[in-house]
Structures are given as C-alpha cells and as structure tokens.
C-alpha cells in the first residue's frame, strides 16, 4: 500500500476532528435512563466525550488527535490539541465520565466498541508528552479494562456483525492497552471464539450498514493476539484462497449511495477498515507470498474509494478520519 501519513494529511485530519469533538449537537445517546433525573444535556452526562454525535466517536476523535500529535508535534493545530486536552483530560471531568459508567443501568453502555476505543485512546496517551493526560484518563481506563475482564468469561459466543457489536474489533483494539493478564484473557477468548474457523466465505459482506468486515477484522484480531507461527497456520486455514482473489467480496470496495444517511455512510468506513486490515495482515506474510500483491492492491482500492468522503456530511465526518488513520498506521 503506497499511502502513508504525511503532515498534509495530518493537518487535514486534525482540522476535521477539532471541528467535531466538542460539538454537542446533534447527539445520539446510548444510555438507559433509570428516571427523569438522568435526562441531562450531553455535556452533563459526559463531561469529556460529549461531542462527535455519540460517545464512542468522540473517544476515537480524541485518539486521532493524540496520535497525530505524537506523529507531528509541531502541527499547525498542535496548540489547539494541547489546549483541548489540558482543558478536558483532567481528573474532575474524568470522574464525571466514571460516574456515568458506575450507574447500575450502564452495565452494557458502549460494550464492546466504545470500551475498546477508550482503551486504545488510553494506550496512545501513555507516551511521552501525552502521559499527563493518560494519567488523568487512567481511572476510566481501569474501569473499562475491568469490564472486559468481567464480561469476556461470561460471553460464550462471538458477535460477528459488521457494526459496533463486533467482538473481534473489540479484542483487537483492547490488545494495544492490555497488561499481561488482560492480554492472556483476550487471546484465550479469541481462540475460543475463532480458533476453529476455517474456509471463511465472507458471504454476508457487505451488509447494508457495515463499517467492519467480519472476516478481515477477525483475522486482524488473531494476528494481533496469536504468536506469529500460530497465526500463520490459522490464517492459511481461515482464508485459503486469498492469492486467487477469493472471497471476491473482500476485494471489491463497497458503494455508499447516500452519505447523509448515517447507516449507508458506514460503508465508507467499511472500505477504510478493510484497507487497514488488508494492509496489517499483508505485513504478517513472508516476502514473495502470492497473497501479498492482491491484498495490497485491494487495500489501495478500498482506501482510495473512501478518502474523498471523509468530510462534507456530518454522518461520516464525525468519525471516518479515525478509520482512515488506522489504515495509514497499518
């Protein structure tokens, strides 16, 4: 894949994210209100992550900004990012976020997608300059890690849809945060859920509102969690005909026909997440592997199909750049 994160792209992405992470409305809540006292404005319910249309998109908007700041500390918008983080990623506001999660009715709030993105953000904020913000976020990250540790042992089945409930995506992102104990649990869970999968047809892809490939994100989770030799053997069994361009659906970009429709706009995200997974999986293959060229060509095709549509309609603008950055980071 010939695309890479450049300063020009970083400036564009930073401008998009700074335009929505503090935009309170429109807002889609995922909370259960136990009584009228729970009905409050978004910023009262979520002192930090009340922008970007919904909680999880705001979280990964912060991740995007943190990642860009690490890559280009002298961005033109770097001062704006630092000021935002200094204002928002502070203990009292994080305590407000924790209180939302501590409510009895919030047991399943943002499970597993938002959980995974919060841990991904926390992992990014551990480094260098960002560590002071990471320390402030740590009480919430520790809660979310604890929720994974409680939930995964009682979850007998994976969720394979191409939307927020996909469990492979959650395992993959949580792995970037996990300590040894949590990582071991993620690996054990992945093997229980996906270890016996063979000859995946990807016949259900794409669905009409997918932003994840259930086949490719499963493979990417296994790549991240398994030792290299164990993953190679599993991958050979799981998608045995990639060198021939099959399953064909994984090599064909999805078509988004109405980007003002939030569900249909997901399909631009599917193209970006496929580009991410194809590129990351290709890096795990040995030089000269016959799967490399078709996978990397398909990654380029998917990336290029989505990139003109990162901004312009808020239904995509509030989240797509994060997935573009995943693709570039791979």
């Amino acid at each position: 894949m010939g695309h890479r994160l450049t300063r020009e792209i970083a400036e564009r992405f930073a401008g998009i994210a700074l335009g929505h992470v503090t935009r309170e409305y429109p807002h889609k809540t995922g909370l259960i209100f136990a009584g009228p006292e729970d009905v409050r404005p978004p910023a009262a319910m979520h002192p930090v992550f009340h922008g970007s249309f919904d909680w999880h998109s705001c979280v990964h908007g912060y991740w995007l900004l943190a990642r860009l700041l690490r890559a280009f500390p002298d961005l033109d918008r770097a001062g704006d990012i630092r000021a935002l983080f200094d204002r928002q990623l502070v203990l009292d506001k994080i305590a407000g976020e924790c209180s939302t999660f501590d409510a009895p009715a919030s047991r399943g709030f943002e499970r597993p997608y938002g959980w995974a993105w919060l841990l991904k953000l926390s992992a990014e904020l551990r480094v260098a300059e960002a560590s002071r913000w990471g320390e402030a976020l740590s009480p919430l990250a520790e809660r979310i890690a604890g929720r994974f540790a409680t939930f995964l042992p009682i979850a007998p089945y994976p969720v394979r849809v191409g939307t927020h409930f996909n469990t492979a995506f959650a395992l993959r992102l949580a792995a970037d945060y996990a300590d040894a104990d949590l990582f071991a649990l993620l690996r054990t869970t992945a093997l229980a859920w996906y270890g016996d999968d063979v000859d995946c047809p990807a016949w259900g892809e794409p669905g009409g509102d997918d932003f994840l490939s259930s086949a490719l994100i499963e493979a990417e989770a296994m790549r991240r969690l398994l030792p290299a030799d164990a993953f190679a053997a599993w991958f050979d069994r799981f998608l045995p005909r990639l060198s021939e361009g099959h399953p064909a659906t994984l090599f064909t970009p999805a078509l988004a026909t109405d980007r003002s429709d939030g569900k249909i706009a997901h399909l631009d995200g599917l193209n970006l997440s496929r580009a991410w997974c194809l590129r990351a999986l290709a890096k795990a293959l040995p030089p000269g592997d016959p799967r490399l060229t078709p996978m990397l060509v398909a990654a380029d095709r998917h990336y290029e199909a989505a990139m003109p549509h990162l901004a312009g309609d808020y239904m995509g603008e509030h989240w797509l750049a994060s997935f573009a950055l995943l693709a570039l980071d791979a």
Side-chain angles (χ1 to χ4, degrees), residues 49 55-56 59-67 70 112-127 130 134 137 140-141 144-145 148 169-178 182 186 220 223-224 276 322-323 325-327 329-330:
F49 304 118
W55 191 87
H56 51 256
V59 170
H60 64 73
Y62 273 75
W63 168 79
L64 178 145
L65 292 170
R67 175 69 187 91
R70 177 161 65 93
Y113 183 77
W115 292 6
W117 271 116
L118 192 284
L119 295 189
K120 178 76 167 171
L121 170 61
S122 182
E124 181 62 38
L125 292 177
R126 288 171 172 172
V127 299
L137 186 64
L140 182 57
I144 299 302
F148 269 108
F169 180 86
L171 297 183
R172 168 62 188 87
L173 261 60
D176 290 344
Y177 168 91
L182 180 56
L186 298 174
E220 171 57 10
R223 182 202 66 79
R224 181 66 176 84
W276 163 43
S322 297
F323 279 78
L325 185 53
L326 287 174
D329 262 355

Short mmCIF file of all heavy atoms in Angstrom, two decimals, residues 49 55-56 59-67 70 112-127 130 134 137 140-141 144-145 148 169-178 182 186 220 223-224 276 322-323 325-327 329-330:
data_model
loop_
_atom_site.label_atom_id
_atom_site.label_comp_id
_atom_site.label_asym_id
_atom_site.label_seq_id
_atom_site.Cartn_x
_atom_site.Cartn_y
_atom_site.Cartn_z
N PHE A 49 -16.42 13.43 26.80
CA PHE A 49 -16.72 12.86 25.49
C PHE A 49 -18.18 13.10 25.09
O PHE A 49 -18.94 12.15 24.87
CB PHE A 49 -16.38 11.37 25.50
CG PHE A 49 -14.96 11.07 25.90
CD1 PHE A 49 -14.68 10.32 27.04
CD2 PHE A 49 -13.90 11.54 25.14
CE1 PHE A 49 -13.38 10.05 27.41
CE2 PHE A 49 -12.58 11.28 25.51
CZ PHE A 49 -12.32 10.53 26.65
N TRP A 55 -20.85 9.02 22.00
CA TRP A 55 -19.73 8.90 22.93
C TRP A 55 -18.52 8.24 22.30
O TRP A 55 -17.39 8.74 22.41
CB TRP A 55 -20.20 8.12 24.16
CG TRP A 55 -19.24 8.14 25.31
CD1 TRP A 55 -19.16 9.07 26.31
CD2 TRP A 55 -18.21 7.17 25.60
NE1 TRP A 55 -18.16 8.75 27.20
CE2 TRP A 55 -17.56 7.58 26.79
CE3 TRP A 55 -17.79 5.99 24.97
CZ2 TRP A 55 -16.51 6.87 27.35
CZ3 TRP A 55 -16.73 5.27 25.53
CH2 TRP A 55 -16.10 5.71 26.70
N HIS A 56 -18.73 7.11 21.64
CA HIS A 56 -17.58 6.37 21.12
C HIS A 56 -16.86 7.14 20.00
O HIS A 56 -15.64 7.08 19.91
CB HIS A 56 -17.98 4.97 20.63
CG HIS A 56 -19.13 4.93 19.69
ND1 HIS A 56 -20.39 4.53 20.08
CD2 HIS A 56 -19.23 5.24 18.37
CE1 HIS A 56 -21.20 4.57 19.04
NE2 HIS A 56 -20.53 5.01 18.00
N VAL A 59 -14.62 9.61 21.62
CA VAL A 59 -13.42 8.95 22.15
C VAL A 59 -12.41 8.73 21.05
O VAL A 59 -11.22 9.06 21.19
CB VAL A 59 -13.79 7.63 22.84
CG1 VAL A 59 -12.53 6.84 23.19
CG2 VAL A 59 -14.60 7.88 24.11
N HIS A 60 -12.83 8.18 19.92
CA HIS A 60 -11.80 7.94 18.90
C HIS A 60 -11.42 9.20 18.14
O HIS A 60 -10.35 9.24 17.54
CB HIS A 60 -12.11 6.73 18.01
CG HIS A 60 -13.31 6.76 17.13
ND1 HIS A 60 -13.39 7.53 16.01
CD2 HIS A 60 -14.45 6.03 17.18
CE1 HIS A 60 -14.55 7.27 15.39
NE2 HIS A 60 -15.21 6.38 16.09
N GLY A 61 -12.22 10.26 18.25
CA GLY A 61 -11.74 11.55 17.79
C GLY A 61 -10.56 12.04 18.63
O GLY A 61 -9.59 12.59 18.11
N TYR A 62 -10.65 11.85 19.93
CA TYR A 62 -9.52 12.18 20.81
C TYR A 62 -8.32 11.30 20.49
O TYR A 62 -7.17 11.78 20.52
CB TYR A 62 -9.92 12.01 22.28
CG TYR A 62 -10.56 13.23 22.91
CD1 TYR A 62 -11.88 13.58 22.62
CD2 TYR A 62 -9.87 14.03 23.80
CE1 TYR A 62 -12.48 14.68 23.20
CE2 TYR A 62 -10.46 15.15 24.39
CZ TYR A 62 -11.77 15.46 24.08
OH TYR A 62 -12.36 16.56 24.65
N TRP A 63 -8.56 10.02 20.22
CA TRP A 63 -7.44 9.14 19.84
C TRP A 63 -6.75 9.67 18.59
O TRP A 63 -5.51 9.73 18.54
CB TRP A 63 -7.93 7.70 19.60
CG TRP A 63 -6.85 6.88 18.95
CD1 TRP A 63 -5.78 6.31 19.55
CD2 TRP A 63 -6.71 6.62 17.54
NE1 TRP A 63 -4.97 5.69 18.61
CE2 TRP A 63 -5.53 5.86 17.37
CE3 TRP A 63 -7.48 6.93 16.42
CZ2 TRP A 63 -5.10 5.42 16.12
CZ3 TRP A 63 -7.05 6.49 15.16
CH2 TRP A 63 -5.87 5.75 15.03
N LEU A 64 -7.53 10.04 17.59
CA LEU A 64 -6.95 10.55 16.36
C LEU A 64 -6.06 11.76 16.65
O LEU A 64 -4.92 11.85 16.16
CB LEU A 64 -8.07 10.90 15.37
CG LEU A 64 -7.64 11.51 14.04
CD1 LEU A 64 -8.57 11.04 12.92
CD2 LEU A 64 -7.67 13.03 14.09
N LEU A 65 -6.56 12.69 17.45
CA LEU A 65 -5.78 13.89 17.76
C LEU A 65 -4.51 13.55 18.53
O LEU A 65 -3.44 14.12 18.27
CB LEU A 65 -6.65 14.87 18.55
CG LEU A 65 -7.81 15.48 17.77
CD1 LEU A 65 -8.74 16.24 18.72
CD2 LEU A 65 -7.31 16.41 16.66
N ALA A 66 -4.61 12.61 19.47
CA ALA A 66 -3.42 12.21 20.23
C ALA A 66 -2.39 11.54 19.33
O ALA A 66 -1.18 11.79 19.45
CB ALA A 66 -3.83 11.27 21.36
N ARG A 67 -2.85 10.72 18.42
CA ARG A 67 -1.94 10.02 17.51
C ARG A 67 -1.27 11.01 16.56
O ARG A 67 -0.06 10.90 16.29
CB ARG A 67 -2.74 8.97 16.73
CG ARG A 67 -1.95 8.25 15.64
CD ARG A 67 -0.90 7.33 16.24
NE ARG A 67 -0.06 6.78 15.19
CZ ARG A 67 1.07 7.32 14.76
NH1 ARG A 67 1.53 8.46 15.30
NH2 ARG A 67 1.78 6.75 13.80
N ARG A 70 1.43 12.95 18.39
CA ARG A 70 2.66 12.17 18.56
C ARG A 70 3.46 12.11 17.26
O ARG A 70 4.69 12.20 17.28
CB ARG A 70 2.33 10.75 19.05
CG ARG A 70 3.56 9.86 19.18
CD ARG A 70 3.29 8.66 20.07
NE ARG A 70 2.30 7.75 19.52
CZ ARG A 70 2.60 6.69 18.77
NH1 ARG A 70 3.85 6.43 18.44
NH2 ARG A 70 1.64 5.88 18.35
N PRO A 112 -19.18 -3.60 23.07
CA PRO A 112 -17.76 -3.53 23.42
C PRO A 112 -16.99 -2.44 22.67
O PRO A 112 -15.83 -2.21 22.93
CB PRO A 112 -17.26 -4.91 22.97
CG PRO A 112 -18.05 -5.15 21.70
CD PRO A 112 -19.42 -4.53 21.94
N TYR A 113 -17.67 -1.77 21.72
CA TYR A 113 -16.99 -0.88 20.79
C TYR A 113 -16.38 0.33 21.50
O TYR A 113 -15.19 0.63 21.34
CB TYR A 113 -18.00 -0.43 19.74
CG TYR A 113 -17.47 0.45 18.64
CD1 TYR A 113 -16.73 -0.09 17.59
CD2 TYR A 113 -17.74 1.82 18.63
CE1 TYR A 113 -16.27 0.72 16.57
CE2 TYR A 113 -17.28 2.63 17.61
CZ TYR A 113 -16.55 2.08 16.58
OH TYR A 113 -16.09 2.88 15.57
N GLY A 114 -17.20 1.03 22.28
CA GLY A 114 -16.68 2.19 22.99
C GLY A 114 -15.65 1.81 24.03
O GLY A 114 -14.68 2.55 24.26
N TRP A 115 -15.84 0.66 24.67
CA TRP A 115 -14.84 0.17 25.61
C TRP A 115 -13.47 0.06 24.91
O TRP A 115 -12.44 0.48 25.45
CB TRP A 115 -15.21 -1.21 26.13
CG TRP A 115 -16.41 -1.30 27.00
CD1 TRP A 115 -17.30 -0.32 27.32
CD2 TRP A 115 -16.85 -2.48 27.68
NE1 TRP A 115 -18.26 -0.81 28.16
CE2 TRP A 115 -18.02 -2.12 28.40
CE3 TRP A 115 -16.39 -3.79 27.77
CZ2 TRP A 115 -18.72 -3.05 29.18
CZ3 TRP A 115 -17.08 -4.71 28.54
CH2 TRP A 115 -18.23 -4.34 29.24
N ALA A 116 -13.50 -0.58 23.74
CA ALA A 116 -12.25 -0.83 23.03
C ALA A 116 -11.57 0.47 22.62
O ALA A 116 -10.35 0.62 22.75
CB ALA A 116 -12.52 -1.70 21.80
N TRP A 117 -12.35 1.43 22.14
CA TRP A 117 -11.75 2.70 21.74
C TRP A 117 -11.20 3.46 22.94
O TRP A 117 -10.16 4.14 22.83
CB TRP A 117 -12.76 3.55 20.99
CG TRP A 117 -12.78 3.32 19.51
CD1 TRP A 117 -13.81 2.82 18.76
CD2 TRP A 117 -11.71 3.59 18.60
NE1 TRP A 117 -13.44 2.75 17.44
CE2 TRP A 117 -12.17 3.23 17.30
CE3 TRP A 117 -10.43 4.10 18.74
CZ2 TRP A 117 -11.37 3.37 16.16
CZ3 TRP A 117 -9.63 4.24 17.60
CH2 TRP A 117 -10.11 3.87 16.34
N LEU A 118 -11.85 3.35 24.09
CA LEU A 118 -11.33 4.04 25.27
C LEU A 118 -9.97 3.48 25.66
O LEU A 118 -9.04 4.23 25.99
CB LEU A 118 -12.33 3.95 26.43
CG LEU A 118 -12.11 4.83 27.67
CD1 LEU A 118 -11.01 4.34 28.57
CD2 LEU A 118 -11.87 6.28 27.27
N LEU A 119 -9.83 2.16 25.58
CA LEU A 119 -8.53 1.56 25.89
C LEU A 119 -7.49 1.92 24.83
O LEU A 119 -6.31 2.13 25.15
CB LEU A 119 -8.66 0.05 26.02
CG LEU A 119 -9.51 -0.44 27.19
CD1 LEU A 119 -9.38 -1.96 27.34
CD2 LEU A 119 -9.16 0.25 28.50
N LYS A 120 -7.90 1.99 23.58
CA LYS A 120 -6.98 2.41 22.52
C LYS A 120 -6.49 3.84 22.76
O LYS A 120 -5.30 4.14 22.61
CB LYS A 120 -7.69 2.32 21.17
CG LYS A 120 -6.88 2.75 19.96
CD LYS A 120 -5.87 1.72 19.55
CE LYS A 120 -5.30 2.05 18.16
NZ LYS A 120 -4.15 1.17 17.82
N LEU A 121 -7.40 4.73 23.15
CA LEU A 121 -7.01 6.09 23.50
C LEU A 121 -6.05 6.10 24.68
O LEU A 121 -5.03 6.79 24.67
CB LEU A 121 -8.25 6.92 23.82
CG LEU A 121 -8.00 8.31 24.43
CD1 LEU A 121 -7.20 9.19 23.49
CD2 LEU A 121 -9.31 8.99 24.81
N SER A 122 -6.37 5.32 25.71
CA SER A 122 -5.51 5.29 26.89
C SER A 122 -4.11 4.80 26.53
O SER A 122 -3.10 5.35 27.01
CB SER A 122 -6.13 4.38 27.96
OG SER A 122 -5.33 4.37 29.12
N ALA A 123 -4.02 3.79 25.67
CA ALA A 123 -2.71 3.30 25.25
C ALA A 123 -1.92 4.39 24.53
O ALA A 123 -0.71 4.54 24.74
CB ALA A 123 -2.88 2.08 24.35
N GLU A 124 -2.59 5.16 23.70
CA GLU A 124 -1.91 6.23 22.97
C GLU A 124 -1.43 7.32 23.91
O GLU A 124 -0.37 7.93 23.70
CB GLU A 124 -2.86 6.81 21.92
CG GLU A 124 -2.27 7.92 21.07
CD GLU A 124 -1.08 7.47 20.25
OE1 GLU A 124 -1.08 6.32 19.74
OE2 GLU A 124 -0.12 8.26 20.13
N LEU A 125 -2.18 7.57 24.97
CA LEU A 125 -1.83 8.66 25.89
C LEU A 125 -0.78 8.27 26.93
O LEU A 125 -0.44 9.07 27.79
CB LEU A 125 -3.09 9.15 26.61
CG LEU A 125 -4.11 9.88 25.74
CD1 LEU A 125 -5.34 10.26 26.56
CD2 LEU A 125 -3.51 11.13 25.09
N ARG A 126 -0.27 7.07 26.85
CA ARG A 126 0.78 6.67 27.79
C ARG A 126 2.15 7.23 27.43
O ARG A 126 3.06 7.21 28.24
CB ARG A 126 0.90 5.14 27.81
CG ARG A 126 -0.24 4.41 28.49
CD ARG A 126 -0.11 2.93 28.25
NE ARG A 126 -1.06 2.15 29.02
CZ ARG A 126 -1.26 0.85 28.87
NH1 ARG A 126 -0.56 0.18 27.96
NH2 ARG A 126 -2.14 0.21 29.60
N VAL A 127 2.31 7.73 26.21
CA VAL A 127 3.65 8.02 25.71
C VAL A 127 4.03 9.47 25.95
O VAL A 127 3.21 10.38 25.82
CB VAL A 127 3.75 7.69 24.20
CG1 VAL A 127 3.49 6.21 23.98
CG2 VAL A 127 2.78 8.51 23.38
N ALA A 130 2.17 13.02 26.20
CA ALA A 130 0.77 12.73 26.49
C ALA A 130 0.56 12.06 27.84
O ALA A 130 -0.58 11.87 28.26
CB ALA A 130 0.18 11.87 25.38
N GLY A 134 -2.78 10.87 29.93
CA GLY A 134 -3.05 9.45 30.15
C GLY A 134 -3.25 9.13 31.62
O GLY A 134 -4.10 8.31 31.98
N LEU A 137 -6.71 10.07 32.55
CA LEU A 137 -7.71 9.16 31.98
C LEU A 137 -7.69 7.80 32.66
O LEU A 137 -8.66 7.04 32.55
CB LEU A 137 -7.45 8.99 30.48
CG LEU A 137 -8.46 8.19 29.67
CD1 LEU A 137 -9.83 8.88 29.66
CD2 LEU A 137 -7.95 7.96 28.25
N LEU A 140 -10.75 5.87 34.36
CA LEU A 140 -11.77 5.36 33.44
C LEU A 140 -11.24 4.15 32.67
O LEU A 140 -11.95 3.15 32.49
CB LEU A 140 -12.22 6.45 32.48
CG LEU A 140 -13.32 6.08 31.49
CD1 LEU A 140 -14.57 5.58 32.20
CD2 LEU A 140 -13.66 7.26 30.59
N ALA A 141 -9.98 4.20 32.23
CA ALA A 141 -9.40 3.07 31.52
C ALA A 141 -9.37 1.83 32.39
O ALA A 141 -9.65 0.71 31.93
CB ALA A 141 -7.99 3.42 31.04
N ILE A 144 -12.79 0.29 32.48
CA ILE A 144 -13.13 -0.40 31.24
C ILE A 144 -12.36 -1.70 31.12
O ILE A 144 -12.92 -2.73 30.72
CB ILE A 144 -12.86 0.51 30.03
CG1 ILE A 144 -13.72 1.78 30.11
CG2 ILE A 144 -13.11 -0.24 28.74
CD1 ILE A 144 -15.20 1.53 30.16
N ALA A 145 -11.08 -1.70 31.48
CA ALA A 145 -10.32 -2.95 31.47
C ALA A 145 -10.95 -3.97 32.40
O ALA A 145 -11.04 -5.16 32.08
CB ALA A 145 -8.86 -2.67 31.86
N PHE A 148 -13.95 -5.54 30.69
CA PHE A 148 -13.55 -6.61 29.79
C PHE A 148 -13.26 -7.89 30.58
O PHE A 148 -13.69 -8.99 30.19
CB PHE A 148 -12.31 -6.21 29.00
CG PHE A 148 -12.59 -5.54 27.69
CD1 PHE A 148 -12.37 -4.19 27.52
CD2 PHE A 148 -13.08 -6.26 26.61
CE1 PHE A 148 -12.62 -3.56 26.30
CE2 PHE A 148 -13.33 -5.65 25.39
CZ PHE A 148 -13.10 -4.29 25.25
N PHE A 169 -13.30 -6.84 16.72
CA PHE A 169 -12.78 -5.48 16.73
C PHE A 169 -12.41 -5.07 18.15
O PHE A 169 -11.36 -4.46 18.39
CB PHE A 169 -13.82 -4.53 16.15
CG PHE A 169 -13.38 -3.09 16.12
CD1 PHE A 169 -12.65 -2.60 15.06
CD2 PHE A 169 -13.70 -2.23 17.16
CE1 PHE A 169 -12.25 -1.26 15.03
CE2 PHE A 169 -13.30 -0.90 17.15
CZ PHE A 169 -12.56 -0.42 16.07
N ALA A 170 -13.27 -5.40 19.10
CA ALA A 170 -13.01 -5.02 20.49
C ALA A 170 -11.76 -5.71 21.02
O ALA A 170 -10.93 -5.08 21.69
CB ALA A 170 -14.21 -5.36 21.36
N LEU A 171 -11.60 -6.99 20.73
CA LEU A 171 -10.40 -7.70 21.17
C LEU A 171 -9.15 -7.07 20.55
O LEU A 171 -8.12 -6.91 21.23
CB LEU A 171 -10.47 -9.17 20.77
CG LEU A 171 -11.58 -10.03 21.39
CD1 LEU A 171 -11.43 -11.48 20.92
CD2 LEU A 171 -11.59 -9.95 22.91
N ARG A 172 -9.25 -6.72 19.27
CA ARG A 172 -8.08 -6.17 18.57
C ARG A 172 -7.63 -4.85 19.19
O ARG A 172 -6.43 -4.64 19.44
CB ARG A 172 -8.43 -5.98 17.09
CG ARG A 172 -7.43 -5.16 16.29
CD ARG A 172 -6.05 -5.82 16.26
NE ARG A 172 -5.06 -4.95 15.67
CZ ARG A 172 -4.36 -4.03 16.33
NH1 ARG A 172 -4.58 -3.82 17.63
NH2 ARG A 172 -3.44 -3.31 15.72
N LEU A 173 -8.55 -3.93 19.43
CA LEU A 173 -8.15 -2.64 19.99
C LEU A 173 -7.73 -2.76 21.44
O LEU A 173 -6.76 -2.12 21.87
CB LEU A 173 -9.28 -1.62 19.83
CG LEU A 173 -9.13 -0.67 18.63
CD1 LEU A 173 -9.10 -1.45 17.32
CD2 LEU A 173 -10.23 0.37 18.61
N ALA A 174 -8.43 -3.59 22.20
CA ALA A 174 -8.08 -3.74 23.62
C ALA A 174 -6.68 -4.30 23.78
O ALA A 174 -6.00 -4.01 24.78
CB ALA A 174 -9.10 -4.64 24.31
N ALA A 175 -6.22 -5.09 22.81
CA ALA A 175 -4.89 -5.68 22.90
C ALA A 175 -3.79 -4.62 22.96
O ALA A 175 -2.72 -4.86 23.54
CB ALA A 175 -4.65 -6.60 21.70
N ASP A 176 -4.02 -3.46 22.39
CA ASP A 176 -2.99 -2.42 22.39
C ASP A 176 -2.82 -1.77 23.76
O ASP A 176 -1.83 -1.10 24.01
CB ASP A 176 -3.33 -1.34 21.35
CG ASP A 176 -3.19 -1.85 19.93
OD1 ASP A 176 -2.56 -2.88 19.72
OD2 ASP A 176 -3.73 -1.18 19.02
N TYR A 177 -3.77 -1.98 24.64
CA TYR A 177 -3.72 -1.44 26.00
C TYR A 177 -3.32 -2.49 27.02
O TYR A 177 -2.70 -2.18 28.04
CB TYR A 177 -5.11 -0.90 26.37
CG TYR A 177 -5.29 -0.57 27.84
CD1 TYR A 177 -5.02 0.71 28.32
CD2 TYR A 177 -5.73 -1.53 28.76
CE1 TYR A 177 -5.18 1.02 29.66
CE2 TYR A 177 -5.90 -1.22 30.09
CZ TYR A 177 -5.63 0.04 30.55
OH TYR A 177 -5.79 0.34 31.88
N ALA A 178 -3.64 -3.75 26.76
CA ALA A 178 -3.68 -4.78 27.78
C ALA A 178 -2.34 -5.04 28.46
O ALA A 178 -1.29 -5.07 27.81
CB ALA A 178 -4.20 -6.08 27.17
N LEU A 182 -4.64 -9.28 31.10
CA LEU A 182 -5.73 -9.00 30.18
C LEU A 182 -5.41 -9.53 28.79
O LEU A 182 -6.29 -10.08 28.11
CB LEU A 182 -6.02 -7.50 30.13
CG LEU A 182 -7.17 -7.06 29.20
CD1 LEU A 182 -8.47 -7.79 29.54
CD2 LEU A 182 -7.36 -5.55 29.24
N LEU A 186 -7.66 -11.97 26.50
CA LEU A 186 -8.06 -11.65 25.13
C LEU A 186 -7.67 -12.79 24.20
O LEU A 186 -8.46 -13.20 23.33
CB LEU A 186 -7.40 -10.35 24.68
CG LEU A 186 -7.75 -9.08 25.45
CD1 LEU A 186 -6.89 -7.92 24.95
CD2 LEU A 186 -9.23 -8.72 25.32
N GLU A 220 -7.52 -9.97 11.66
CA GLU A 220 -6.62 -8.97 12.25
C GLU A 220 -6.53 -9.12 13.77
O GLU A 220 -5.46 -8.95 14.36
CB GLU A 220 -7.07 -7.57 11.85
CG GLU A 220 -6.36 -6.42 12.56
CD GLU A 220 -4.85 -6.40 12.43
OE1 GLU A 220 -4.28 -7.18 11.62
OE2 GLU A 220 -4.23 -5.60 13.14
N ARG A 223 -4.25 -12.04 14.29
CA ARG A 223 -2.86 -11.65 14.02
C ARG A 223 -2.25 -10.94 15.21
O ARG A 223 -1.11 -11.20 15.60
CB ARG A 223 -2.79 -10.74 12.79
CG ARG A 223 -1.36 -10.33 12.42
CD ARG A 223 -1.32 -9.07 11.58
NE ARG A 223 -1.78 -7.90 12.32
CZ ARG A 223 -1.05 -7.21 13.21
NH1 ARG A 223 0.19 -7.60 13.50
NH2 ARG A 223 -1.55 -6.15 13.82
N ARG A 224 -3.02 -10.05 15.80
CA ARG A 224 -2.51 -9.27 16.92
C ARG A 224 -2.34 -10.10 18.18
O ARG A 224 -1.43 -9.83 18.99
CB ARG A 224 -3.47 -8.09 17.19
CG ARG A 224 -3.05 -7.17 18.33
CD ARG A 224 -1.79 -6.44 18.03
NE ARG A 224 -1.45 -5.49 19.09
CZ ARG A 224 -0.80 -5.80 20.20
NH1 ARG A 224 -0.42 -7.07 20.42
NH2 ARG A 224 -0.53 -4.88 21.11
N TRP A 276 -7.27 -1.02 6.25
CA TRP A 276 -6.47 -1.23 7.46
C TRP A 276 -6.14 -2.70 7.65
O TRP A 276 -4.96 -3.08 7.80
CB TRP A 276 -7.25 -0.69 8.66
CG TRP A 276 -6.81 -1.15 10.01
CD1 TRP A 276 -5.53 -1.28 10.47
CD2 TRP A 276 -7.67 -1.57 11.09
NE1 TRP A 276 -5.53 -1.74 11.78
CE2 TRP A 276 -6.83 -1.92 12.17
CE3 TRP A 276 -9.05 -1.65 11.24
CZ2 TRP A 276 -7.34 -2.37 13.40
CZ3 TRP A 276 -9.55 -2.08 12.46
CH2 TRP A 276 -8.71 -2.44 13.52
N SER A 322 -10.86 8.78 11.70
CA SER A 322 -10.19 7.84 12.61
C SER A 322 -9.88 6.53 11.91
O SER A 322 -8.81 5.94 12.09
CB SER A 322 -11.05 7.57 13.85
OG SER A 322 -11.24 8.75 14.60
N PHE A 323 -10.81 6.06 11.09
CA PHE A 323 -10.59 4.81 10.37
C PHE A 323 -9.59 4.99 9.24
O PHE A 323 -8.82 4.08 8.92
CB PHE A 323 -11.92 4.24 9.90
CG PHE A 323 -12.65 3.50 10.98
CD1 PHE A 323 -13.34 4.19 11.97
CD2 PHE A 323 -12.60 2.12 11.05
CE1 PHE A 323 -13.97 3.51 12.99
CE2 PHE A 323 -13.24 1.43 12.06
CZ PHE A 323 -13.93 2.12 13.04
N LEU A 325 -7.05 6.92 9.53
CA LEU A 325 -5.76 6.89 10.22
C LEU A 325 -5.36 5.47 10.59
O LEU A 325 -4.17 5.11 10.52
CB LEU A 325 -5.82 7.78 11.46
CG LEU A 325 -4.51 7.95 12.23
CD1 LEU A 325 -3.38 8.41 11.31
CD2 LEU A 325 -4.68 8.91 13.40
N LEU A 326 -6.30 4.62 10.98
CA LEU A 326 -5.97 3.21 11.21
C LEU A 326 -5.36 2.60 9.95
O LEU A 326 -4.39 1.84 10.01
CB LEU A 326 -7.22 2.42 11.61
CG LEU A 326 -7.78 2.64 13.00
CD1 LEU A 326 -9.10 1.89 13.17
CD2 LEU A 326 -6.80 2.19 14.08
N ALA A 327 -5.96 2.91 8.80
CA ALA A 327 -5.44 2.37 7.55
C ALA A 327 -4.04 2.87 7.26
O ALA A 327 -3.15 2.11 6.82
CB ALA A 327 -6.38 2.73 6.40
N ASP A 329 -1.86 3.97 9.51
CA ASP A 329 -0.96 3.46 10.55
C ASP A 329 -0.53 2.02 10.29
O ASP A 329 0.53 1.59 10.75
CB ASP A 329 -1.63 3.54 11.92
CG ASP A 329 -1.21 4.78 12.71
OD1 ASP A 329 -0.34 5.52 12.22
OD2 ASP A 329 -1.73 4.98 13.81
N ALA A 330 -1.37 1.28 9.58
CA ALA A 330 -1.05 -0.14 9.35
C ALA A 330 0.18 -0.30 8.48
O ALA A 330 0.76 -1.36 8.44
CB ALA A 330 -2.24 -0.84 8.68
#
